[in-house]
C-alpha cells in the first residue's frame, strides 16, 4: 500500500508574494506548492485532484513534470497546461494561498511556515474566500446543474472526468 500523504494549508495576509512563492529549492525542501484558492470550493476538490495526480504519477502518465504541477493541472477543467497554471497558480497580486504538500515521509505542514511569510489559518474558512461566480465561469457550470447537485459536486465531476469527457 502506498503511504504518500498530502497536506493542505491555507495562508492569508501574505506579505511578499515573491517570498511566498519561494524558490524551486524551497519547494523541493519543504515539498509544497502554493496555489490560488479563489476557485477552491472545498478541500475535497483538492483531494480529488491530488489523488488523480498520484494515480497518474504511479502509472507514469503525468501530463506535467512533477506531482505538484500535475495537481494544479488536475484542478483545472482545461487540457491546456499553461492555461491551467495561469488559472490555479499564483498571480503577483495574490495575498492568500492554499499550499499542497505531498510527502510520503509524513513531514508536518508547519515545516512550510518557514518558507511562507503569512498567517496559517484553518481550512474551515476556505469557502469564505471562494469566488463562486468565477468557479461557475471557469468550470462552465449552469444554474440548472446546481438545482440537482452542489457546486462541489459539479466541480469534482469535472475534475474526475476531464480526460474522458469534453469540457
Amino acid at each position: 500500500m502506498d503511504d504518500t500523504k498530502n497536506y493542505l494549508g491555507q495562508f492569508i495576509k501574505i506579505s511578499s508574494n515573491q517570498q511566498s512563492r519561494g524558490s524551486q529549492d524551497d519547494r523541493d525542501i519543504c515539498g509544497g506548492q502554493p496555489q490560488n484558492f479563489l476557485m477552491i470550493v472545498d478541500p475535497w476538490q483538492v483531494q480529488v485532484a491530488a489523488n488523480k495526480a498520484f494515480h497518474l504519477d504511479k502509472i507514469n502518465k503525468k501530463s506535467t513534470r512533477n506531482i505538484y504541477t500535475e495537481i494544479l493541472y488536475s484542478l483545472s477543467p482545461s487540457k491546456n497546461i499553461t492555461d491551467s497554471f495561469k488559472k490555479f497558480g499564483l498571480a503577483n497580486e495574490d495575498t492568500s494561498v492554499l499550499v499542497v504538500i505531498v510527502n510520503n515521509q509524513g513531514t508536518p505542514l508547519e515545516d512550510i511556515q518557514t518558507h511562507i511569510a503569512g498567517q496559517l489559518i484553518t481550512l474551515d474558512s476556505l469557502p469564505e474566500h471562494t469566488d463562486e461566480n468565477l468557479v461557475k465561469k471557469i468550470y462552465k457550470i449552469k444554474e440548472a446543474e446546481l438545482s440537482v447537485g452542489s457546486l462541489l459536486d459539479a466541480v469534482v465531476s469535472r475534475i474526475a472526468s476531464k480526460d474522458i469527457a469534453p469540457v
Side-chain angles (χ1 to χ4, degrees), residues 57-96:
D57 183 48
K58 191 168 202 138
I59 63 171
N60 294 319
K61 298 278 185 176
K62 289 191 316 286
S63 297
T64 65
R65 293 184 183 189
N66 65 53
I67 194 74
Y68 301 112
T69 55
E70 194 67 24
I71 292 170
L72 282 177
Y73 178 66
S74 293
L75 279 168
S76 175
S78 173
K79 291 186 180 183
N80 181 307
I81 294 172
T82 302
D83 185 53
S84 299
F85 293 168
K86 285 179 183 176
K87 287 178 181 168
F88 286 88
L90 289 180
N92 287 334
E93 64 275 0
D94 289 339
T95 59
S96 302

mmCIF file of all heavy atoms in Angstrom, residues 57-96:
data_model
loop_
_atom_site.group_PDB
_atom_site.id
_atom_site.type_symbol
_atom_site.label_atom_id
_atom_site.label_comp_id
_atom_site.label_asym_id
_atom_site.label_seq_id
_atom_site.Cartn_x
_atom_site.Cartn_y
_atom_site.Cartn_z
ATOM 1 N N ASP A 57 0.831 9.698 -11.696
ATOM 2 C CA ASP A 57 2.259 9.593 -11.415
ATOM 3 C C ASP A 57 2.676 8.124 -11.270
ATOM 4 O O ASP A 57 3.689 7.698 -11.818
ATOM 5 C CB ASP A 57 2.599 10.372 -10.146
ATOM 6 C CG ASP A 57 4.080 10.365 -9.834
ATOM 7 O OD1 ASP A 57 4.892 10.639 -10.739
ATOM 8 O OD2 ASP A 57 4.429 10.092 -8.666
ATOM 9 N N LYS A 58 1.872 7.370 -10.555
ATOM 10 C CA LYS A 58 2.185 5.970 -10.289
ATOM 11 C C LYS A 58 2.228 5.133 -11.578
ATOM 12 O O LYS A 58 3.026 4.211 -11.701
ATOM 13 C CB LYS A 58 1.160 5.387 -9.320
ATOM 14 C CG LYS A 58 1.539 4.045 -8.789
ATOM 15 C CD LYS A 58 0.648 3.664 -7.621
ATOM 16 C CE LYS A 58 1.369 2.645 -6.814
ATOM 17 N NZ LYS A 58 1.275 2.803 -5.425
ATOM 18 N N ILE A 59 1.369 5.459 -12.536
ATOM 19 C CA ILE A 59 1.342 4.695 -13.791
ATOM 20 C C ILE A 59 2.138 5.394 -14.908
ATOM 21 O O ILE A 59 2.024 5.035 -16.072
ATOM 22 C CB ILE A 59 -0.105 4.396 -14.247
ATOM 23 C CG1 ILE A 59 -0.870 5.683 -14.558
ATOM 24 C CG2 ILE A 59 -0.827 3.539 -13.220
ATOM 25 C CD1 ILE A 59 -2.230 5.445 -15.210
ATOM 26 N N ASN A 60 2.924 6.408 -14.520
ATOM 27 C CA ASN A 60 3.782 7.143 -15.459
ATOM 28 C C ASN A 60 3.000 7.754 -16.620
ATOM 29 O O ASN A 60 3.415 7.679 -17.775
ATOM 30 C CB ASN A 60 4.901 6.237 -15.993
ATOM 31 C CG ASN A 60 5.863 5.844 -14.912
ATOM 32 O OD1 ASN A 60 6.237 6.660 -14.072
ATOM 33 N ND2 ASN A 60 6.240 4.572 -14.897
ATOM 34 N N LYS A 61 1.876 8.379 -16.298
ATOM 35 C CA LYS A 61 1.038 9.014 -17.323
ATOM 36 C C LYS A 61 0.801 10.495 -17.030
ATOM 37 O O LYS A 61 -0.167 11.072 -17.524
ATOM 38 C CB LYS A 61 -0.324 8.299 -17.415
ATOM 39 C CG LYS A 61 -0.252 6.858 -17.828
ATOM 40 C CD LYS A 61 -0.142 6.735 -19.321
ATOM 41 C CE LYS A 61 -0.195 5.255 -19.676
ATOM 42 N NZ LYS A 61 -0.188 5.025 -21.079
ATOM 43 N N LYS A 62 1.680 11.114 -16.224
ATOM 44 C CA LYS A 62 1.523 12.536 -15.922
ATOM 45 C C LYS A 62 1.633 13.353 -17.210
ATOM 46 O O LYS A 62 2.392 13.021 -18.107
ATOM 47 C CB LYS A 62 2.608 13.007 -14.950
ATOM 48 C CG LYS A 62 2.477 12.516 -13.554
ATOM 49 C CD LYS A 62 3.426 13.220 -12.583
ATOM 50 C CE LYS A 62 4.820 13.425 -13.018
ATOM 51 N NZ LYS A 62 5.689 12.273 -13.049
ATOM 52 N N SER A 63 0.889 14.448 -17.254
ATOM 53 C CA SER A 63 0.982 15.382 -18.373
ATOM 54 C C SER A 63 2.002 16.472 -18.094
ATOM 55 O O SER A 63 2.408 17.186 -19.012
ATOM 56 C CB SER A 63 -0.381 16.034 -18.628
ATOM 57 O OG SER A 63 -1.321 15.059 -18.997
ATOM 58 N N THR A 64 2.408 16.626 -16.836
ATOM 59 C CA THR A 64 3.359 17.654 -16.439
ATOM 60 C C THR A 64 4.613 16.985 -15.862
ATOM 61 O O THR A 64 4.685 15.769 -15.795
ATOM 62 C CB THR A 64 2.732 18.611 -15.400
ATOM 63 O OG1 THR A 64 2.461 17.886 -14.206
ATOM 64 C CG2 THR A 64 1.448 19.231 -15.929
ATOM 65 N N ARG A 65 5.540 17.804 -15.396
ATOM 66 C CA ARG A 65 6.835 17.262 -14.981
ATOM 67 C C ARG A 65 6.903 16.716 -13.564
ATOM 68 O O ARG A 65 7.743 15.898 -13.256
ATOM 69 C CB ARG A 65 7.909 18.338 -15.134
ATOM 70 C CG ARG A 65 8.146 18.691 -16.572
ATOM 71 C CD ARG A 65 9.269 19.662 -16.689
ATOM 72 N NE ARG A 65 9.420 20.032 -18.101
ATOM 73 C CZ ARG A 65 10.412 20.728 -18.554
ATOM 74 N NH1 ARG A 65 11.347 21.167 -17.731
ATOM 75 N NH2 ARG A 65 10.489 21.020 -19.815
ATOM 76 N N ASN A 66 6.040 17.211 -12.666
ATOM 77 C CA ASN A 66 6.110 16.721 -11.287
ATOM 78 C C ASN A 66 4.717 16.646 -10.672
ATOM 79 O O ASN A 66 3.737 17.097 -11.253
ATOM 80 C CB ASN A 66 7.076 17.567 -10.441
ATOM 81 C CG ASN A 66 6.615 18.987 -10.253
ATOM 82 O OD1 ASN A 66 5.492 19.238 -9.822
ATOM 83 N ND2 ASN A 66 7.479 19.947 -10.571
ATOM 84 N N ILE A 67 4.648 16.082 -9.503
ATOM 85 C CA ILE A 67 3.358 15.844 -8.852
ATOM 86 C C ILE A 67 2.642 17.146 -8.509
ATOM 87 O O ILE A 67 1.411 17.233 -8.593
ATOM 88 C CB ILE A 67 3.522 14.935 -7.603
ATOM 89 C CG1 ILE A 67 2.167 14.397 -7.129
ATOM 90 C CG2 ILE A 67 4.225 15.654 -6.480
ATOM 91 C CD1 ILE A 67 1.591 13.341 -7.985
ATOM 92 N N TYR A 68 3.383 18.192 -8.148
ATOM 93 C CA TYR A 68 2.766 19.463 -7.780
ATOM 94 C C TYR A 68 2.093 20.122 -8.974
ATOM 95 O O TYR A 68 0.960 20.600 -8.876
ATOM 96 C CB TYR A 68 3.797 20.405 -7.156
ATOM 97 C CG TYR A 68 4.428 19.826 -5.931
ATOM 98 C CD1 TYR A 68 5.764 19.462 -5.914
ATOM 99 C CD2 TYR A 68 3.670 19.608 -4.787
ATOM 100 C CE1 TYR A 68 6.340 18.905 -4.788
ATOM 101 C CE2 TYR A 68 4.235 19.049 -3.656
ATOM 102 C CZ TYR A 68 5.566 18.703 -3.672
ATOM 103 O OH TYR A 68 6.117 18.143 -2.552
ATOM 104 N N THR A 69 2.779 20.168 -10.098
ATOM 105 C CA THR A 69 2.171 20.764 -11.283
ATOM 106 C C THR A 69 1.047 19.882 -11.812
ATOM 107 O O THR A 69 0.073 20.383 -12.366
ATOM 108 C CB THR A 69 3.224 21.023 -12.377
ATOM 109 O OG1 THR A 69 3.908 19.804 -12.673
ATOM 110 C CG2 THR A 69 4.209 22.094 -11.937
ATOM 111 N N GLU A 70 1.137 18.589 -11.584
ATOM 112 C CA GLU A 70 0.060 17.690 -12.007
ATOM 113 C C GLU A 70 -1.204 17.946 -11.180
ATOM 114 O O GLU A 70 -2.317 17.861 -11.703
ATOM 115 C CB GLU A 70 0.495 16.233 -11.889
ATOM 116 C CG GLU A 70 -0.410 15.267 -12.602
ATOM 117 C CD GLU A 70 -0.392 15.391 -14.121
ATOM 118 O OE1 GLU A 70 0.602 15.876 -14.697
ATOM 119 O OE2 GLU A 70 -1.395 14.979 -14.736
ATOM 120 N N ILE A 71 -1.046 18.283 -9.902
ATOM 121 C CA ILE A 71 -2.212 18.622 -9.076
ATOM 122 C C ILE A 71 -2.865 19.899 -9.612
ATOM 123 O O ILE A 71 -4.094 19.959 -9.768
ATOM 124 C CB ILE A 71 -1.824 18.774 -7.591
ATOM 125 C CG1 ILE A 71 -1.411 17.418 -7.011
ATOM 126 C CG2 ILE A 71 -2.980 19.373 -6.780
ATOM 127 C CD1 ILE A 71 -0.781 17.484 -5.637
ATOM 128 N N LEU A 72 -2.059 20.924 -9.905
ATOM 129 C CA LEU A 72 -2.616 22.153 -10.484
ATOM 130 C C LEU A 72 -3.336 21.861 -11.791
ATOM 131 O O LEU A 72 -4.446 22.343 -12.031
ATOM 132 C CB LEU A 72 -1.502 23.182 -10.743
ATOM 133 C CG LEU A 72 -0.977 23.957 -9.560
ATOM 134 C CD1 LEU A 72 0.172 24.864 -9.993
ATOM 135 C CD2 LEU A 72 -2.060 24.769 -8.906
ATOM 136 N N TYR A 73 -2.712 21.066 -12.641
ATOM 137 C CA TYR A 73 -3.311 20.708 -13.927
ATOM 138 C C TYR A 73 -4.601 19.919 -13.720
ATOM 139 O O TYR A 73 -5.594 20.140 -14.415
ATOM 140 C CB TYR A 73 -2.302 19.908 -14.755
ATOM 141 C CG TYR A 73 -2.825 19.437 -16.078
ATOM 142 C CD1 TYR A 73 -3.155 20.346 -17.084
ATOM 143 C CD2 TYR A 73 -2.980 18.084 -16.347
ATOM 144 C CE1 TYR A 73 -3.637 19.913 -18.311
ATOM 145 C CE2 TYR A 73 -3.456 17.641 -17.562
ATOM 146 C CZ TYR A 73 -3.790 18.562 -18.540
ATOM 147 O OH TYR A 73 -4.270 18.131 -19.755
ATOM 148 N N SER A 74 -4.612 19.024 -12.746
ATOM 149 C CA SER A 74 -5.806 18.217 -12.479
ATOM 150 C C SER A 74 -6.962 19.058 -11.942
ATOM 151 O O SER A 74 -8.125 18.735 -12.167
ATOM 152 C CB SER A 74 -5.481 17.105 -11.475
ATOM 153 O OG SER A 74 -4.598 16.171 -12.044
ATOM 154 N N LEU A 75 -6.658 20.129 -11.222
ATOM 155 C CA LEU A 75 -7.706 21.011 -10.709
ATOM 156 C C LEU A 75 -8.444 21.745 -11.824
ATOM 157 O O LEU A 75 -9.623 22.045 -11.705
ATOM 158 C CB LEU A 75 -7.111 22.057 -9.762
ATOM 159 C CG LEU A 75 -6.851 21.628 -8.342
ATOM 160 C CD1 LEU A 75 -6.003 22.672 -7.621
ATOM 161 C CD2 LEU A 75 -8.144 21.375 -7.596
ATOM 162 N N SER A 76 -7.762 22.006 -12.893
ATOM 163 C CA SER A 76 -8.322 22.819 -13.963
ATOM 164 C C SER A 76 -9.187 21.997 -14.913
ATOM 165 O O SER A 76 -8.866 20.856 -15.229
ATOM 166 C CB SER A 76 -7.170 23.453 -14.754
ATOM 167 O OG SER A 76 -7.681 24.159 -15.860
ATOM 168 N N PRO A 77 -10.263 22.599 -15.409
ATOM 169 C CA PRO A 77 -11.062 21.902 -16.417
ATOM 170 C C PRO A 77 -10.402 21.927 -17.792
ATOM 171 O O PRO A 77 -10.771 21.169 -18.678
ATOM 172 C CB PRO A 77 -12.380 22.683 -16.421
ATOM 173 C CG PRO A 77 -11.998 24.057 -15.998
ATOM 174 C CD PRO A 77 -10.863 23.869 -15.020
ATOM 175 N N SER A 78 -9.410 22.769 -17.959
ATOM 176 C CA SER A 78 -8.728 22.917 -19.239
ATOM 177 C C SER A 78 -7.703 21.812 -19.455
ATOM 178 O O SER A 78 -7.044 21.360 -18.518
ATOM 179 C CB SER A 78 -8.018 24.276 -19.283
ATOM 180 O OG SER A 78 -7.229 24.390 -20.441
ATOM 181 N N LYS A 79 -7.543 21.410 -20.706
ATOM 182 C CA LYS A 79 -6.491 20.455 -21.055
ATOM 183 C C LYS A 79 -5.222 21.189 -21.499
ATOM 184 O O LYS A 79 -4.237 20.565 -21.865
ATOM 185 C CB LYS A 79 -6.973 19.504 -22.147
ATOM 186 C CG LYS A 79 -8.044 18.561 -21.635
ATOM 187 C CD LYS A 79 -8.409 17.527 -22.661
ATOM 188 C CE LYS A 79 -9.487 16.611 -22.117
ATOM 189 N NZ LYS A 79 -9.825 15.555 -23.045
ATOM 190 N N ASN A 80 -5.253 22.510 -21.430
ATOM 191 C CA ASN A 80 -4.092 23.333 -21.760
ATOM 192 C C ASN A 80 -3.305 23.557 -20.478
ATOM 193 O O ASN A 80 -3.802 24.184 -19.531
ATOM 194 C CB ASN A 80 -4.570 24.661 -22.358
ATOM 195 C CG ASN A 80 -3.433 25.563 -22.751
ATOM 196 O OD1 ASN A 80 -2.543 25.844 -21.960
ATOM 197 N ND2 ASN A 80 -3.486 26.051 -23.983
ATOM 198 N N ILE A 81 -2.082 23.052 -20.436
ATOM 199 C CA ILE A 81 -1.274 23.113 -19.217
ATOM 200 C C ILE A 81 -0.982 24.561 -18.807
ATOM 201 O O ILE A 81 -1.151 24.924 -17.645
ATOM 202 C CB ILE A 81 0.037 22.309 -19.386
ATOM 203 C CG1 ILE A 81 -0.301 20.824 -19.544
ATOM 204 C CG2 ILE A 81 0.973 22.529 -18.206
ATOM 205 C CD1 ILE A 81 0.883 19.946 -19.921
ATOM 206 N N THR A 82 -0.584 25.389 -19.746
ATOM 207 C CA THR A 82 -0.276 26.787 -19.440
ATOM 208 C C THR A 82 -1.501 27.504 -18.884
ATOM 209 O O THR A 82 -1.411 28.234 -17.893
ATOM 210 C CB THR A 82 0.240 27.514 -20.694
ATOM 211 O OG1 THR A 82 1.394 26.823 -21.177
ATOM 212 C CG2 THR A 82 0.602 28.956 -20.401
ATOM 213 N N ASP A 83 -2.650 27.279 -19.502
ATOM 214 C CA ASP A 83 -3.893 27.879 -19.030
ATOM 215 C C ASP A 83 -4.222 27.408 -17.612
ATOM 216 O O ASP A 83 -4.652 28.188 -16.767
ATOM 217 C CB ASP A 83 -5.032 27.527 -19.992
ATOM 218 C CG ASP A 83 -6.331 28.206 -19.630
ATOM 219 O OD1 ASP A 83 -6.328 29.446 -19.473
ATOM 220 O OD2 ASP A 83 -7.347 27.494 -19.492
ATOM 221 N N SER A 84 -3.998 26.135 -17.341
ATOM 222 C CA SER A 84 -4.246 25.580 -16.009
ATOM 223 C C SER A 84 -3.381 26.262 -14.965
ATOM 224 O O SER A 84 -3.853 26.605 -13.871
ATOM 225 C CB SER A 84 -3.969 24.074 -15.996
ATOM 226 O OG SER A 84 -4.804 23.406 -16.898
ATOM 227 N N PHE A 85 -2.109 26.466 -15.285
ATOM 228 C CA PHE A 85 -1.191 27.110 -14.346
ATOM 229 C C PHE A 85 -1.585 28.567 -14.113
ATOM 230 O O PHE A 85 -1.491 29.069 -12.997
ATOM 231 C CB PHE A 85 0.243 27.036 -14.837
ATOM 232 C CG PHE A 85 0.804 25.638 -14.862
ATOM 233 C CD1 PHE A 85 1.991 25.380 -15.511
ATOM 234 C CD2 PHE A 85 0.153 24.568 -14.262
ATOM 235 C CE1 PHE A 85 2.528 24.097 -15.540
ATOM 236 C CE2 PHE A 85 0.668 23.288 -14.286
ATOM 237 C CZ PHE A 85 1.862 23.057 -14.931
ATOM 238 N N LYS A 86 -2.032 29.251 -15.164
ATOM 239 C CA LYS A 86 -2.448 30.650 -15.017
ATOM 240 C C LYS A 86 -3.674 30.769 -14.123
ATOM 241 O O LYS A 86 -3.783 31.682 -13.320
ATOM 242 C CB LYS A 86 -2.744 31.268 -16.385
ATOM 243 C CG LYS A 86 -1.509 31.594 -17.177
ATOM 244 C CD LYS A 86 -1.873 32.183 -18.523
ATOM 245 C CE LYS A 86 -0.633 32.444 -19.354
ATOM 246 N NZ LYS A 86 -0.969 32.934 -20.696
ATOM 247 N N LYS A 87 -4.614 29.844 -14.272
ATOM 248 C CA LYS A 87 -5.862 29.918 -13.509
ATOM 249 C C LYS A 87 -5.694 29.471 -12.061
ATOM 250 O O LYS A 87 -6.285 30.042 -11.159
ATOM 251 C CB LYS A 87 -6.947 29.074 -14.170
ATOM 252 C CG LYS A 87 -7.471 29.687 -15.442
ATOM 253 C CD LYS A 87 -8.511 28.819 -16.094
ATOM 254 C CE LYS A 87 -8.980 29.484 -17.372
ATOM 255 N NZ LYS A 87 -9.765 28.599 -18.213
ATOM 256 N N PHE A 88 -4.895 28.442 -11.830
ATOM 257 C CA PHE A 88 -4.814 27.873 -10.489
ATOM 258 C C PHE A 88 -3.490 28.141 -9.784
ATOM 259 O O PHE A 88 -3.371 27.876 -8.593
ATOM 260 C CB PHE A 88 -5.105 26.369 -10.530
ATOM 261 C CG PHE A 88 -6.555 26.082 -10.730
ATOM 262 C CD1 PHE A 88 -7.086 25.996 -12.002
ATOM 263 C CD2 PHE A 88 -7.402 25.944 -9.642
ATOM 264 C CE1 PHE A 88 -8.435 25.763 -12.195
ATOM 265 C CE2 PHE A 88 -8.754 25.711 -9.823
ATOM 266 C CZ PHE A 88 -9.271 25.628 -11.109
ATOM 267 N N GLY A 89 -2.522 28.672 -10.488
ATOM 268 C CA GLY A 89 -1.266 29.047 -9.860
ATOM 269 C C GLY A 89 -1.398 30.427 -9.234
ATOM 270 O O GLY A 89 -2.478 31.012 -9.196
ATOM 271 N N LEU A 90 -0.307 30.942 -8.731
ATOM 272 C CA LEU A 90 -0.327 32.253 -8.081
ATOM 273 C C LEU A 90 -0.102 33.382 -9.070
ATOM 274 O O LEU A 90 0.660 33.238 -10.018
ATOM 275 C CB LEU A 90 0.770 32.326 -7.020
ATOM 276 C CG LEU A 90 0.577 31.502 -5.775
ATOM 277 C CD1 LEU A 90 1.753 31.697 -4.832
ATOM 278 C CD2 LEU A 90 -0.713 31.851 -5.079
ATOM 279 N N ALA A 91 -0.750 34.498 -8.799
ATOM 280 C CA ALA A 91 -0.501 35.736 -9.521
ATOM 281 C C ALA A 91 0.262 36.667 -8.576
ATOM 282 O O ALA A 91 0.227 36.492 -7.355
ATOM 283 C CB ALA A 91 -1.821 36.374 -9.949
ATOM 284 N N ASN A 92 0.930 37.643 -9.138
ATOM 285 C CA ASN A 92 1.742 38.547 -8.309
ATOM 286 C C ASN A 92 0.940 39.273 -7.243
ATOM 287 O O ASN A 92 1.448 39.582 -6.178
ATOM 288 C CB ASN A 92 2.468 39.564 -9.190
ATOM 289 C CG ASN A 92 3.609 38.929 -9.944
ATOM 290 O OD1 ASN A 92 4.166 37.924 -9.506
ATOM 291 N ND2 ASN A 92 3.945 39.500 -11.090
ATOM 292 N N GLU A 93 -0.340 39.539 -7.504
ATOM 293 C CA GLU A 93 -1.145 40.298 -6.552
ATOM 294 C C GLU A 93 -1.837 39.430 -5.493
ATOM 295 O O GLU A 93 -2.502 39.953 -4.602
ATOM 296 C CB GLU A 93 -2.187 41.154 -7.287
ATOM 297 C CG GLU A 93 -3.224 40.375 -8.067
ATOM 298 C CD GLU A 93 -2.779 39.971 -9.482
ATOM 299 O OE1 GLU A 93 -1.658 40.270 -9.898
ATOM 300 O OE2 GLU A 93 -3.590 39.316 -10.147
ATOM 301 N N ASP A 94 -1.697 38.128 -5.558
ATOM 302 C CA ASP A 94 -2.355 37.250 -4.582
ATOM 303 C C ASP A 94 -1.788 37.471 -3.183
ATOM 304 O O ASP A 94 -0.580 37.562 -2.993
ATOM 305 C CB ASP A 94 -2.185 35.771 -4.959
ATOM 306 C CG ASP A 94 -3.005 35.395 -6.178
ATOM 307 O OD1 ASP A 94 -3.974 36.117 -6.496
ATOM 308 O OD2 ASP A 94 -2.679 34.380 -6.815
ATOM 309 N N THR A 95 -2.698 37.560 -2.218
ATOM 310 C CA THR A 95 -2.287 37.747 -0.821
ATOM 311 C C THR A 95 -2.699 36.558 0.045
ATOM 312 O O THR A 95 -2.469 36.561 1.243
ATOM 313 C CB THR A 95 -2.895 39.031 -0.235
ATOM 314 O OG1 THR A 95 -4.320 38.949 -0.313
ATOM 315 C CG2 THR A 95 -2.391 40.266 -0.971
ATOM 316 N N SER A 96 -3.336 35.566 -0.558
ATOM 317 C CA SER A 96 -3.746 34.355 0.148
ATOM 318 C C SER A 96 -3.425 33.161 -0.737
ATOM 319 O O SER A 96 -3.579 33.233 -1.954
ATOM 320 C CB SER A 96 -5.249 34.373 0.438
ATOM 321 O OG SER A 96 -5.596 35.492 1.199
#
